[in-house]
Short mmCIF file of all heavy atoms in Angstrom, two decimals:
data_model
loop_
_atom_site.label_atom_id
_atom_site.label_comp_id
_atom_site.label_asym_id
_atom_site.label_seq_id
_atom_site.Cartn_x
_atom_site.Cartn_y
_atom_site.Cartn_z
N TYR A 5 31.04 28.93 -29.22
CA TYR A 5 32.17 29.80 -28.91
C TYR A 5 33.46 29.23 -29.49
O TYR A 5 34.23 29.94 -30.13
CB TYR A 5 32.36 29.94 -27.40
CG TYR A 5 31.32 30.70 -26.64
CD1 TYR A 5 31.21 30.53 -25.26
CD2 TYR A 5 30.45 31.60 -27.24
CE1 TYR A 5 30.28 31.23 -24.51
CE2 TYR A 5 29.50 32.29 -26.50
CZ TYR A 5 29.43 32.10 -25.14
OH TYR A 5 28.51 32.80 -24.40
N ASP A 6 33.71 27.95 -29.23
CA ASP A 6 34.95 27.34 -29.70
C ASP A 6 35.04 27.33 -31.23
O ASP A 6 36.11 27.59 -31.79
CB ASP A 6 35.09 25.90 -29.18
CG ASP A 6 35.38 25.86 -27.68
OD1 ASP A 6 35.85 26.87 -27.13
OD2 ASP A 6 35.14 24.80 -27.07
N GLU A 7 33.94 27.06 -31.90
CA GLU A 7 33.95 27.05 -33.36
C GLU A 7 34.21 28.45 -33.91
O GLU A 7 34.97 28.61 -34.88
CB GLU A 7 32.62 26.51 -33.90
CG GLU A 7 32.43 25.03 -33.63
CD GLU A 7 31.03 24.53 -33.92
OE1 GLU A 7 30.04 25.30 -33.73
OE2 GLU A 7 30.90 23.36 -34.33
N VAL A 8 33.61 29.46 -33.30
CA VAL A 8 33.85 30.85 -33.73
C VAL A 8 35.33 31.20 -33.54
O VAL A 8 35.96 31.76 -34.43
CB VAL A 8 32.94 31.85 -32.98
CG1 VAL A 8 33.37 33.29 -33.21
CG2 VAL A 8 31.49 31.66 -33.40
N ARG A 9 35.89 30.85 -32.39
CA ARG A 9 37.32 31.16 -32.15
C ARG A 9 38.23 30.38 -33.10
O ARG A 9 39.25 30.89 -33.52
CB ARG A 9 37.68 30.86 -30.70
CG ARG A 9 37.19 31.95 -29.77
CD ARG A 9 37.80 31.84 -28.39
NE ARG A 9 37.30 32.90 -27.55
CZ ARG A 9 36.56 32.69 -26.46
NH1 ARG A 9 36.24 31.48 -26.08
NH2 ARG A 9 36.14 33.73 -25.75
N ASP A 10 37.85 29.14 -33.43
CA ASP A 10 38.66 28.37 -34.39
C ASP A 10 38.68 29.05 -35.75
O ASP A 10 39.69 29.04 -36.44
CB ASP A 10 38.11 26.95 -34.55
CG ASP A 10 38.44 26.06 -33.37
OD1 ASP A 10 39.32 26.42 -32.55
OD2 ASP A 10 37.82 24.99 -33.26
N ILE A 11 37.57 29.66 -36.14
CA ILE A 11 37.46 30.29 -37.47
C ILE A 11 37.99 31.72 -37.47
O ILE A 11 38.79 32.10 -38.33
CB ILE A 11 35.99 30.27 -37.94
CG1 ILE A 11 35.53 28.83 -38.17
CG2 ILE A 11 35.81 31.12 -39.21
CD1 ILE A 11 34.03 28.68 -38.35
N PHE A 12 37.55 32.53 -36.51
CA PHE A 12 37.84 33.97 -36.51
C PHE A 12 39.01 34.37 -35.61
O PHE A 12 39.50 35.48 -35.69
CB PHE A 12 36.60 34.76 -36.12
CG PHE A 12 35.48 34.66 -37.11
CD1 PHE A 12 34.48 33.72 -36.96
CD2 PHE A 12 35.44 35.49 -38.22
CE1 PHE A 12 33.45 33.61 -37.88
CE2 PHE A 12 34.42 35.39 -39.15
CZ PHE A 12 33.43 34.44 -38.98
N GLY A 13 39.44 33.48 -34.74
CA GLY A 13 40.50 33.81 -33.80
C GLY A 13 39.95 34.35 -32.49
O GLY A 13 38.75 34.31 -32.23
N LYS A 14 40.84 34.87 -31.68
CA LYS A 14 40.46 35.45 -30.38
C LYS A 14 39.85 36.82 -30.60
O LYS A 14 40.39 37.65 -31.32
CB LYS A 14 41.72 35.55 -29.50
CG LYS A 14 41.51 36.25 -28.19
CD LYS A 14 41.04 35.30 -27.12
CE LYS A 14 41.02 35.94 -25.75
NZ LYS A 14 39.78 36.51 -25.36
N GLU A 15 38.72 37.05 -29.98
CA GLU A 15 38.02 38.32 -30.10
C GLU A 15 38.82 39.46 -29.46
O GLU A 15 39.59 39.24 -28.52
CB GLU A 15 36.62 38.24 -29.48
CG GLU A 15 36.59 38.04 -27.99
CD GLU A 15 36.74 36.58 -27.53
OE1 GLU A 15 37.01 35.68 -28.35
OE2 GLU A 15 36.61 36.35 -26.32
N THR A 16 38.62 40.67 -29.97
CA THR A 16 39.26 41.87 -29.42
C THR A 16 38.63 42.26 -28.09
O THR A 16 39.29 42.68 -27.16
CB THR A 16 39.10 43.05 -30.41
OG1 THR A 16 39.71 42.68 -31.65
CG2 THR A 16 39.72 44.32 -29.89
N LEU A 17 37.31 42.09 -28.01
CA LEU A 17 36.54 42.54 -26.85
C LEU A 17 35.28 41.69 -26.78
O LEU A 17 34.73 41.31 -27.82
CB LEU A 17 36.18 44.02 -27.05
CG LEU A 17 35.40 44.76 -25.98
CD1 LEU A 17 36.21 44.85 -24.69
CD2 LEU A 17 35.06 46.17 -26.46
N SER A 18 34.82 41.40 -25.57
CA SER A 18 33.55 40.69 -25.41
C SER A 18 32.90 41.13 -24.12
O SER A 18 33.57 41.46 -23.14
CB SER A 18 33.75 39.17 -25.41
OG SER A 18 34.53 38.78 -24.31
N ASP A 19 31.58 41.16 -24.15
CA ASP A 19 30.81 41.56 -22.97
C ASP A 19 29.33 41.32 -23.26
O ASP A 19 28.96 40.93 -24.36
CB ASP A 19 31.06 43.02 -22.62
CG ASP A 19 30.83 43.34 -21.14
OD1 ASP A 19 30.25 42.49 -20.41
OD2 ASP A 19 31.21 44.43 -20.70
N ILE A 20 28.51 41.61 -22.27
CA ILE A 20 27.07 41.52 -22.41
C ILE A 20 26.55 42.91 -22.79
O ILE A 20 26.82 43.88 -22.10
CB ILE A 20 26.38 41.06 -21.11
CG1 ILE A 20 26.97 39.74 -20.61
CG2 ILE A 20 24.87 40.97 -21.28
CD1 ILE A 20 26.75 38.57 -21.51
N VAL A 21 25.82 42.99 -23.91
CA VAL A 21 25.21 44.25 -24.35
C VAL A 21 23.73 43.97 -24.59
O VAL A 21 23.39 43.08 -25.38
CB VAL A 21 25.87 44.76 -25.66
CG1 VAL A 21 25.19 46.03 -26.13
CG2 VAL A 21 27.36 44.98 -25.47
N ASP A 22 22.87 44.72 -23.90
CA ASP A 22 21.42 44.51 -24.01
C ASP A 22 21.06 43.04 -23.80
O ASP A 22 20.32 42.44 -24.59
CB ASP A 22 20.90 45.00 -25.36
CG ASP A 22 21.05 46.50 -25.53
OD1 ASP A 22 21.00 47.22 -24.51
OD2 ASP A 22 21.23 46.95 -26.66
N HIS A 23 21.58 42.45 -22.76
CA HIS A 23 21.31 41.06 -22.37
C HIS A 23 21.78 40.03 -23.38
O HIS A 23 21.30 38.90 -23.42
CB HIS A 23 19.81 40.86 -22.09
CG HIS A 23 19.24 41.86 -21.15
ND1 HIS A 23 19.53 41.89 -19.80
CD2 HIS A 23 18.40 42.90 -21.35
CE1 HIS A 23 18.90 42.89 -19.23
NE2 HIS A 23 18.21 43.53 -20.14
N THR A 24 22.70 40.42 -24.26
CA THR A 24 23.21 39.52 -25.30
C THR A 24 24.73 39.51 -25.26
O THR A 24 25.36 40.57 -25.26
CB THR A 24 22.74 40.01 -26.70
OG1 THR A 24 21.32 40.10 -26.71
CG2 THR A 24 23.18 39.05 -27.78
N GLU A 25 25.30 38.31 -25.26
CA GLU A 25 26.76 38.20 -25.34
C GLU A 25 27.20 38.68 -26.71
O GLU A 25 26.68 38.23 -27.74
CB GLU A 25 27.20 36.75 -25.14
CG GLU A 25 28.66 36.56 -25.35
CD GLU A 25 29.41 36.17 -24.09
OE1 GLU A 25 28.78 35.70 -23.15
OE2 GLU A 25 30.63 36.35 -24.08
N THR A 26 28.14 39.61 -26.75
CA THR A 26 28.62 40.19 -28.00
C THR A 26 30.14 40.15 -28.03
O THR A 26 30.79 40.50 -27.05
CB THR A 26 28.14 41.65 -28.14
OG1 THR A 26 26.71 41.68 -28.05
CG2 THR A 26 28.58 42.24 -29.47
N TRP A 27 30.66 39.71 -29.17
CA TRP A 27 32.11 39.70 -29.38
C TRP A 27 32.45 40.67 -30.50
O TRP A 27 31.71 40.80 -31.47
CB TRP A 27 32.60 38.32 -29.79
CG TRP A 27 32.53 37.28 -28.72
CD1 TRP A 27 31.98 37.39 -27.47
CD2 TRP A 27 33.02 35.95 -28.82
NE1 TRP A 27 32.11 36.21 -26.79
CE2 TRP A 27 32.74 35.30 -27.61
CE3 TRP A 27 33.65 35.24 -29.82
CZ2 TRP A 27 33.09 33.98 -27.36
CZ3 TRP A 27 34.00 33.92 -29.59
CH2 TRP A 27 33.72 33.30 -28.35
N LEU A 28 33.60 41.31 -30.37
CA LEU A 28 34.08 42.26 -31.37
C LEU A 28 35.41 41.79 -31.93
O LEU A 28 36.31 41.39 -31.18
CB LEU A 28 34.26 43.64 -30.74
CG LEU A 28 35.00 44.68 -31.58
CD1 LEU A 28 34.14 45.13 -32.76
CD2 LEU A 28 35.40 45.87 -30.73
N TYR A 29 35.52 41.86 -33.25
CA TYR A 29 36.79 41.65 -33.96
C TYR A 29 37.04 42.92 -34.77
O TYR A 29 36.09 43.50 -35.30
CB TYR A 29 36.70 40.46 -34.92
CG TYR A 29 36.56 39.13 -34.23
CD1 TYR A 29 35.32 38.67 -33.82
CD2 TYR A 29 37.68 38.34 -34.01
CE1 TYR A 29 35.19 37.45 -33.19
CE2 TYR A 29 37.55 37.11 -33.38
CZ TYR A 29 36.30 36.67 -32.97
OH TYR A 29 36.19 35.45 -32.35
N ASP A 30 38.30 43.35 -34.86
CA ASP A 30 38.61 44.50 -35.70
C ASP A 30 40.02 44.39 -36.25
O ASP A 30 40.76 43.46 -35.91
CB ASP A 30 38.41 45.83 -34.94
CG ASP A 30 39.35 46.00 -33.77
OD1 ASP A 30 40.46 45.42 -33.77
OD2 ASP A 30 38.99 46.72 -32.84
N SER A 31 40.39 45.33 -37.08
CA SER A 31 41.70 45.30 -37.73
C SER A 31 42.72 46.20 -37.04
O SER A 31 43.75 46.52 -37.63
CB SER A 31 41.56 45.71 -39.20
OG SER A 31 41.07 47.04 -39.28
N ALA A 32 42.47 46.60 -35.80
CA ALA A 32 43.37 47.53 -35.11
C ALA A 32 44.78 46.98 -34.99
O ALA A 32 45.76 47.69 -35.21
CB ALA A 32 42.82 47.89 -33.73
N LYS A 33 44.91 45.69 -34.65
CA LYS A 33 46.24 45.08 -34.50
C LYS A 33 46.99 45.05 -35.82
O LYS A 33 48.14 45.40 -35.90
CB LYS A 33 46.10 43.67 -33.95
CG LYS A 33 46.84 43.45 -32.66
CD LYS A 33 46.84 41.99 -32.28
CE LYS A 33 45.81 41.76 -31.21
NZ LYS A 33 45.81 40.39 -30.71
N GLN A 34 46.29 44.61 -36.88
CA GLN A 34 46.94 44.54 -38.19
C GLN A 34 47.35 45.92 -38.68
O GLN A 34 48.36 46.08 -39.35
CB GLN A 34 46.02 43.90 -39.24
CG GLN A 34 45.72 42.44 -39.01
CD GLN A 34 44.37 42.25 -38.33
OE1 GLN A 34 43.94 43.03 -37.51
NE2 GLN A 34 43.70 41.17 -38.66
N ASN A 35 46.54 46.94 -38.39
CA ASN A 35 46.82 48.30 -38.84
C ASN A 35 47.68 49.07 -37.85
O ASN A 35 48.00 50.23 -38.08
CB ASN A 35 45.51 49.05 -39.09
CG ASN A 35 44.74 48.49 -40.25
OD1 ASN A 35 45.08 47.46 -40.82
ND2 ASN A 35 43.65 49.14 -40.61
N ASN A 36 47.99 48.44 -36.71
CA ASN A 36 48.82 49.05 -35.68
C ASN A 36 48.29 50.42 -35.24
O ASN A 36 49.02 51.40 -35.20
CB ASN A 36 50.27 49.15 -36.16
CG ASN A 36 51.23 49.33 -35.00
OD1 ASN A 36 50.93 48.90 -33.88
ND2 ASN A 36 52.35 49.97 -35.25
N ILE A 37 46.98 50.45 -34.93
CA ILE A 37 46.40 51.70 -34.43
C ILE A 37 45.88 51.48 -33.02
O ILE A 37 45.59 50.35 -32.62
CB ILE A 37 45.24 52.24 -35.31
CG1 ILE A 37 44.01 51.34 -35.22
CG2 ILE A 37 45.67 52.43 -36.73
CD1 ILE A 37 42.74 52.05 -35.57
N GLU A 38 45.79 52.56 -32.30
CA GLU A 38 45.21 52.53 -30.97
C GLU A 38 43.93 53.35 -30.99
O GLU A 38 43.92 54.46 -31.50
CB GLU A 38 46.18 53.07 -29.94
CG GLU A 38 47.34 52.15 -29.66
CD GLU A 38 48.16 52.60 -28.47
OE1 GLU A 38 47.61 53.22 -27.55
OE2 GLU A 38 49.37 52.32 -28.49
N TYR A 39 42.88 52.77 -30.48
CA TYR A 39 41.61 53.46 -30.30
C TYR A 39 40.88 52.71 -29.20
O TYR A 39 41.32 51.64 -28.76
CB TYR A 39 40.81 53.49 -31.61
CG TYR A 39 40.05 52.23 -31.92
CD1 TYR A 39 38.67 52.19 -31.87
CD2 TYR A 39 40.71 51.05 -32.24
CE1 TYR A 39 37.98 51.02 -32.13
CE2 TYR A 39 40.04 49.88 -32.51
CZ TYR A 39 38.67 49.88 -32.45
OH TYR A 39 37.97 48.72 -32.71
N THR A 40 39.79 53.24 -28.74
CA THR A 40 39.03 52.57 -27.69
C THR A 40 37.89 51.79 -28.33
O THR A 40 36.90 52.38 -28.79
CB THR A 40 38.46 53.62 -26.70
OG1 THR A 40 39.56 54.39 -26.19
CG2 THR A 40 37.75 52.94 -25.56
N PRO A 41 38.03 50.45 -28.41
CA PRO A 41 36.96 49.67 -29.02
C PRO A 41 35.72 49.67 -28.14
O PRO A 41 35.82 49.78 -26.91
CB PRO A 41 37.56 48.26 -29.13
CG PRO A 41 38.67 48.22 -28.15
CD PRO A 41 39.14 49.62 -27.97
N SER A 42 34.57 49.59 -28.77
CA SER A 42 33.30 49.61 -28.05
C SER A 42 32.35 48.59 -28.65
O SER A 42 32.34 48.38 -29.87
CB SER A 42 32.68 51.01 -28.15
OG SER A 42 31.36 51.00 -27.64
N LEU A 43 31.55 47.99 -27.80
CA LEU A 43 30.52 47.07 -28.28
C LEU A 43 29.20 47.79 -28.54
O LEU A 43 28.25 47.19 -29.01
CB LEU A 43 30.30 45.95 -27.24
CG LEU A 43 31.49 45.03 -27.03
CD1 LEU A 43 31.23 44.08 -25.87
CD2 LEU A 43 31.81 44.26 -28.30
N GLU A 44 29.18 49.08 -28.27
CA GLU A 44 27.94 49.84 -28.42
C GLU A 44 27.98 50.88 -29.52
O GLU A 44 26.95 51.39 -29.93
CB GLU A 44 27.59 50.49 -27.08
CG GLU A 44 27.34 49.46 -26.00
CD GLU A 44 26.98 50.08 -24.66
OE1 GLU A 44 26.63 51.27 -24.63
OE2 GLU A 44 27.04 49.36 -23.67
N VAL A 45 29.19 51.21 -30.03
CA VAL A 45 29.32 52.25 -31.04
C VAL A 45 30.29 51.79 -32.12
O VAL A 45 31.40 51.38 -31.83
CB VAL A 45 29.86 53.57 -30.41
CG1 VAL A 45 30.03 54.63 -31.47
CG2 VAL A 45 28.94 54.05 -29.30
N VAL A 46 29.85 51.88 -33.37
CA VAL A 46 30.72 51.57 -34.51
C VAL A 46 31.55 52.82 -34.80
O VAL A 46 31.00 53.91 -34.95
CB VAL A 46 29.89 51.18 -35.75
CG1 VAL A 46 30.79 50.96 -36.95
CG2 VAL A 46 29.06 49.94 -35.47
N PRO A 47 32.87 52.70 -34.89
CA PRO A 47 33.73 53.87 -35.14
C PRO A 47 33.76 54.24 -36.63
O PRO A 47 34.72 53.98 -37.35
CB PRO A 47 35.10 53.39 -34.66
CG PRO A 47 35.08 51.92 -34.93
CD PRO A 47 33.66 51.49 -34.69
N PHE A 48 32.67 54.85 -37.09
CA PHE A 48 32.52 55.18 -38.50
C PHE A 48 33.70 55.99 -39.04
O PHE A 48 34.19 55.72 -40.14
CB PHE A 48 31.22 55.94 -38.75
CG PHE A 48 29.99 55.09 -38.60
CD1 PHE A 48 29.18 55.19 -37.48
CD2 PHE A 48 29.64 54.19 -39.59
CE1 PHE A 48 28.05 54.40 -37.36
CE2 PHE A 48 28.50 53.40 -39.48
CZ PHE A 48 27.71 53.50 -38.35
N ASP A 49 34.17 56.99 -38.28
CA ASP A 49 35.27 57.84 -38.75
C ASP A 49 36.55 57.04 -38.98
O ASP A 49 37.24 57.25 -39.99
CB ASP A 49 35.53 59.00 -37.78
CG ASP A 49 34.41 60.03 -37.80
OD1 ASP A 49 33.65 60.07 -38.79
OD2 ASP A 49 34.30 60.79 -36.82
N GLU A 50 36.87 56.12 -38.06
CA GLU A 50 38.08 55.31 -38.21
C GLU A 50 38.00 54.40 -39.44
O GLU A 50 39.00 54.14 -40.10
CB GLU A 50 38.34 54.48 -36.94
CG GLU A 50 38.95 55.27 -35.80
CD GLU A 50 37.91 56.03 -34.97
OE1 GLU A 50 36.71 56.04 -35.33
OE2 GLU A 50 38.31 56.64 -33.96
N ILE A 51 36.81 53.91 -39.73
CA ILE A 51 36.62 53.06 -40.91
C ILE A 51 36.67 53.92 -42.18
O ILE A 51 37.36 53.57 -43.15
CB ILE A 51 35.31 52.26 -40.83
CG1 ILE A 51 35.38 51.26 -39.65
CG2 ILE A 51 35.04 51.52 -42.14
CD1 ILE A 51 34.09 50.54 -39.34
#
């Protein structure tokens, strides 16, 4: 965890999905957009 945060920074969102710890990083802050991030659905349209 610490090594990932040292390299990638603080995750946008984290939780358990299908019994697996999952972290999400995205460009929402850099692009100054608001959307509802999800660990279960990739926002294809926004990309």
